[in-house]
Amino acid sequence: MNKFIPYAHHDIDDNDIKSVVEVLKSDWLTTGPKIQEFETLFANFVNAKFAVAVNSATSGLDISVTALNIDENSEIITTPLTFAASANCILYNRCKPIFADIDKNTMNIDPEKIKEKITSKTKAIIPVHYAGQPCDMDAITEIAKEHNLYIIEDAAHAVAAEYKGRRIGSISDITVFSLHAAKNITTGEGGVITTNNEDVYKKLLLLRSHGIDRSTLQRHGSSGSYIYDMKLLGKNYRMTDFQAALGISQLSKAEKIRQIRESIALRYNKELSKIKEITIPEVINNVVHARHLYPILLDKKINRDKFFESMRSKNIGVNVHYIPIYELSYYKNLYNLAEKDFPITSDISSREISLPLHTLMTDEDVNYIIDSIKVCIGELS
Ligand SMILES: *Cc1c(COP(=O)(O)O)cnc(C)c1O
């Protein structure tokens, strides 16, 4: 039998390793010069004014909500078809997550459903670029303007994605990227926040490091002073310098990695579009898809869980993205939301399967996966 093909895999080469080792041999392991270099390069990459590196996207989302001074008990709207972190950041800040159903074609939050959920307590929207496909940002931006809401984009899947010719990361008040090992580019664990707002930027820098106003680097050396002040109740969400070095090296390959992922997605499209029991992911006009995930939808008459087991038994690391947030015990206990209020999410989440998609996959891997899908569909229909 073939080797297990995971749904995601990091792409680390000798240059990546060399840049990390250089920092490990230097004087600064954390809060040093590589962080700033990485932040400048990342901001340039997405064409944003400012970037703040953090130890995860989860941390980034947490301090993004904090940085916007949103009152406790405010409502923040997000999608239920996402990873828990997209909604957890709302709870960390003592606000209430409100879920708006998704669009059945893109599986992204549906702007029309956002409108239905707006109340006098709504303060922000957290759209998630599911699978790496940008949300309908024009529509979401218009809603935000009309109701005076902030937008924090969860772009964990969307490094190198574009919306109408603009890289994701430059459009909204704040955008948060993940550099977790399973994401398109990685620092092991890590995240980056981008913004064009200088006040927000300064606040994020404070919140990342205890709310303290001068970094270790600034206090270092013969003319350094011991004096600092703590201005806000911040966290320790700092990224290390060796991770930033890896980030720099990974970022230089981000576009190449996206293109490889795109070419695998197109091969899947070509073969899987011939199978009537499968719906392939739709890409809307005027976007560049980051291709973080390749989510297919199975026809209702194919049992998804049996299909999952059958593919796994063939050593294919299929996955499911996601169990809707309102179905997770913690959220069930808190809100007990009814599945019937999210008809699209509940239908799609019961039929979705993510196929392996990463740069280490060979042509043979892709062919094997496509052939195995045909076998499984045949057995289960
Ligand atoms: C991975 C992910 C996160 C969290 O990223 P971390 O860097 O692991 O904290 C948040 N949102 C979405 C949609 C994700 O997929």
Side-chain angles (χ1 to χ4, degrees):
M1 181 130 89
N2 71 302
K3 212 168 127 243
F4 185 76
I5 309 168
Y7 93 91
H9 198 288
H10 50 271
D11 183 326
I12 302 283
D13 64 19
D14 289 343
N15 284 332
D16 293 317
I17 294 167
K18 203 168 132 252
S19 27
V20 172
V21 171
E22 270 169 24
V23 174
L24 290 174
K25 290 177 174 171
S26 78
D27 289 329
W28 288 95
L29 295 189
T30 193
T31 329
K34 283 289 167 193
I35 291 290
Q36 247 167 30
E37 190 185 330
F38 177 49
E39 288 174 341
T40 303
L41 289 167
F42 201 98
N44 289 343
F45 181 75
V46 303
N47 203 19
K49 285 199 183 124
F50 309 102
V52 176
V54 284
N55 62 359
S56 71
T58 304
S59 305
L61 288 164
D62 179 14
I63 57 174
S64 293
V65 178
T66 313
L68 294 173
N69 284 329
I70 294 173
D71 293 334
E72 281 185 21
N73 301 318
S74 298
E75 295 176 354
I76 300 181
I77 298 174
T78 191
T79 168
L81 195 73
T82 184
F83 184 59
S86 314
N88 290 350
C89 64
I90 301 169
L91 294 178
Y92 297 156
N93 286 278
R94 298 169 200 277
C95 292
K96 185 174 181 193
I98 301 291
F99 301 102
D101 208 357
I102 58 172
D103 172 83
K104 72 176 189 333
N105 296 320
T106 61
M107 305 185 222
N108 275 328
I109 194 165
D110 181 342
E112 291 305 315
K113 304 283 170 52
I114 294 177
K115 285 184 193 163
E116 292 169 12
K117 299 281 175 151
I118 291 174
T119 71
S120 59
K121 287 185 168 176
T122 311
K123 291 288 154 56
I125 307 168
I126 304 184
V128 179
H129 305 302
Y130 177 88
Q133 164 143 262
C135 294
D136 184 351
M137 290 313 299
D138 279 353
I140 295 171
T141 304
E142 202 179 300
I143 295 168
K145 279 206 177 115
E146 192 183 327
H147 297 273
N148 206 12
L149 311 175
Y150 293 112
I151 300 175
I152 301 171
E153 292 173 50
D154 179 340
H157 300 179
V159 171
E162 292 175 25
Y163 179 80
K164 299 197 172 171
R166 294 166 75 182
R167 279 245 166 88
I168 292 298
S170 65
I171 299 169
S172 302
D173 301 293
I174 299 184
T175 305
V176 182
F177 297 89
S178 173
L179 303 171
H180 177 267
K183 300 302 184 345
N184 290 16
I185 63 168
T186 186
T187 56
E189 298 279 359
V192 192
I193 312 167
T194 60
T195 182
N196 289 323
N197 181 322
E198 190 166 7
D199 292 334
V200 166
Y201 168 65
K202 287 181 176 159
K203 208 152 171 211
L204 289 170
L205 287 180
L206 283 171
L207 290 166
R208 169 177 70 180
S209 193
H210 310 285
I212 286 175
D213 62 351
R214 295 179 74 231
S215 72
T216 323
L217 190 60
Q218 288 165 329
R219 300 200 303 271
H220 186 74
S222 54
S223 60
S225 154
Y226 70 89
I227 291 173
Y228 62 77
D229 187 21
M230 189 189 119
K231 298 194 154 130
L232 294 169
L233 186 62
K235 311 271 172 78
N236 175 358
Y237 282 169
R238 296 185 303 259
M239 176 186 273
T240 65
D241 268 49
F242 47 96
Q243 287 177 302
L246 182 53
I248 292 167
S249 169
Q250 288 270 302
L251 186 64
S252 71
K253 303 187 287 188
E255 178 53 25
K256 199 179 116 214
I257 286 173
R258 192 198 60 75
Q259 284 171 16
I260 296 169
R261 302 178 80 100
E262 177 70 23
S263 70
I264 296 169
L266 294 180
R267 287 198 51 215
Y268 276 146
N269 279 351
K270 182 159 177 278
E271 295 306 320
L272 301 180
S273 58
K274 297 174 192 159
I275 304 176
K276 68 174 192 317
E277 291 86 354
I278 286 176
T279 307
I280 60 167
E282 182 181 312
V283 181
I284 58 172
N285 289 333
N286 296 318
V287 301
V288 172
H289 195 306
R291 297 294 189 185
H292 173 57
L293 302 172
Y294 189 88
I296 59 171
L297 297 181
L298 299 173
D299 192 275
K300 277 196 179 66
K301 66 174 192 282
I302 308 288
N303 183 308
R304 193 265 310 272
D305 291 354
K306 288 206 172 114
F307 182 87
F308 179 96
E309 277 170 30
S310 196
M311 292 290 281
R312 280 283 175 108
S313 75
K314 295 179 176 3
N315 259 349
I316 298 169
V318 289
N319 219 329
V320 169
H321 294 94
Y322 291 90
I323 299 166
I325 303 233
Y326 54 76
E327 282 188 15
L328 304 173
S329 310
Y330 190 83
Y331 282 89
K332 261 209 148 89
N333 293 338
L334 264 185
Y335 302 118
N336 197 24
L337 298 174
E339 211 186 338
K340 70 167 175 32
D341 294 337
F342 307 95
I344 312 288
T345 300
S346 83
D347 170 50
I348 279 177
S349 65
S350 69
R351 298 193 288 123
E352 192 272 344
I353 282 270
S354 301
L355 303 181
L357 179 56
H358 56 81
T359 58
L360 304 193
M361 288 170 67
T362 62
D363 286 353
E364 290 72 43
D365 289 338
V366 179
N367 290 338
Y368 174 68
I369 292 165
I370 291 164
D371 290 344
S372 302
I373 290 172
K374 291 178 185 161
V375 172
C376 292
I377 296 274
E379 283 169 3
L380 295 170
S381 14

